[in-house]
Amino acid sequence: MSRVKISVAYMPLVDAAPLIIAQEMGFADAEAIVLDLIPAPSWSSLRDMLAFGRVDAAHMLSVIPVAMRLGLGGMTTPIAAVSTLSVNGNVFGVGRPLEDRLRALGSEFGFADARNAASELAKAHDGVLTVGVPFPFSMHVELLRYWAERTDLGSDRIEFRTVPPPLMAEALEAGDIDAFCVGEPWGSVAVDRGVGALLLPGQAIWQGAPEKVLATRTDWAESEPDLLGRLIRAVWQASRWLAKPESKTAASEILGRAIYLDLPSEIIDRSLSGRLILSSHGEQRRNEDFLRFHGSASTFPWRSQAKWIAHRIIERYGLSTDINAVAGVFRADLYRQHMQHIGADLPGASEKLEGAILHPTAVASSRGQLSLLPDRFFDGAVFDPGALV
């Protein structure tokens, strides 16, 4: 069978791994496709590459398809999130001046308690905190706003500045930002360059945050169902391979190659293994589930998560819209259609109470073997997508 080329844009981040591994380890080949992986310099350029048809699919921030459906950001091409590529994986860190003030106040950089970290940060920094984020419509921004609103930090004390992930360490060193929230390995790069320290994983704010999605233009998804199915399945197989402990070393080496992230494999391994170095002082923390690619329906595009994102944005901008229509950009229907015959255990529902799972919990599924992992918000809140009108 001849191989069909599918062009895919990505940002140089560890959570692009399912796409890179799908191509490098033969999972794409097994579906008779070739992934033409094209790096993008920024999230805005990646979004535009997809919207204007420069590429067929993209590794995309989970918030972007929702924001586009709401008419925000100047680009309204209908985009479909056809699967989730990664759960969690972000880090919040501070520059050296703020690190020094935190240490002077006795901070132990526990890397686990979101409420305590906010209290320490509020004491260490007067005035507005300038935080570098990769894009205005991102899980980074949503997590930080949620965290600040519900702690001593306060949402009025955070100002966001857009910085492409590979440039985050430079912005920190130049003093353009006080702190940052970014996907790995760029937080670890800031640590290794001696310009920053990690204060909190995004996982400590929301344990089940959908970070990146596999996105296509809606018209492509609907006009090329066969290719879409091959792409979704190849990426799913790569995600399953990434979840195996014995795959970490090889994955780190592949991602570190010059054509992808161009970084030492040791830095990349930190996020894959969950063993992070927090600062130049050498503190290390082990975080189970720091970055998840597979298992526990991790690749399923939950409509309830799209609703959480949409609800946050709608309230912030004072929009009036049908939230159910907006949440439809997370295409659980297409995912089910293309995954039902390969042995994947699909959840029985497409929505769930977000934040309600406090321990591994069995749920109804196609094969009856699915358990969902904890998805707690740090403040114990539960988001009910069915309560929205």
Side-chain angles (χ1 to χ4, degrees), residues 142-178:
E142 296 307 325
L143 290 178
L144 292 183
R145 285 189 181 277
Y146 187 90
W147 175 49
E149 289 167 5
R150 291 160 173 76
T151 60
D152 294 343
L153 193 55
S155 59
D156 59 342
R157 292 183 58 190
I158 290 187
E159 174 184 273
F160 295 106
R161 183 166 298 174
T162 301
V163 180
L167 301 181
M168 203 65 76
E170 285 85 346
L172 206 61
E173 186 172 21
D176 295 334
I177 54 177
D178 304 309

Side-chain angles (χ1 to χ4, degrees), residues 238-262:
S239 299
R240 184 167 65 171
W241 182 87
L242 280 162
K244 298 176 181 178
E246 61 270 24
S247 299
K248 308 300 183 188
T249 299
S252 297
E253 187 277 327
I254 292 169
L255 294 174
R257 293 174 184 171
I259 60 171
Y260 296 126
L261 274 63
D262 194 20

Side-chain angles (χ1 to χ4, degrees), residues 196-208:
L198 307 185
L199 188 64
L200 203 67
Q203 167 196 23
I205 300 171
W206 183 13
Q207 285 182 281

Side-chain angles (χ1 to χ4, degrees), residues 15 82 107 120 164 197 254 257 274 276 294 325 333 338 368:
D15 56 28
V82 296
S107 175
E120 292 180 340
I254 292 169
R257 293 174 184 171
L276 292 157
H294 191 80
D333 59 326
H338 295 297

Side-chain angles (χ1 to χ4, degrees), residues 128-139:
V128 176
L129 186 72
T130 302
V131 182
V133 293
F135 198 64
F137 301 109
S138 62
M139 188 55 64

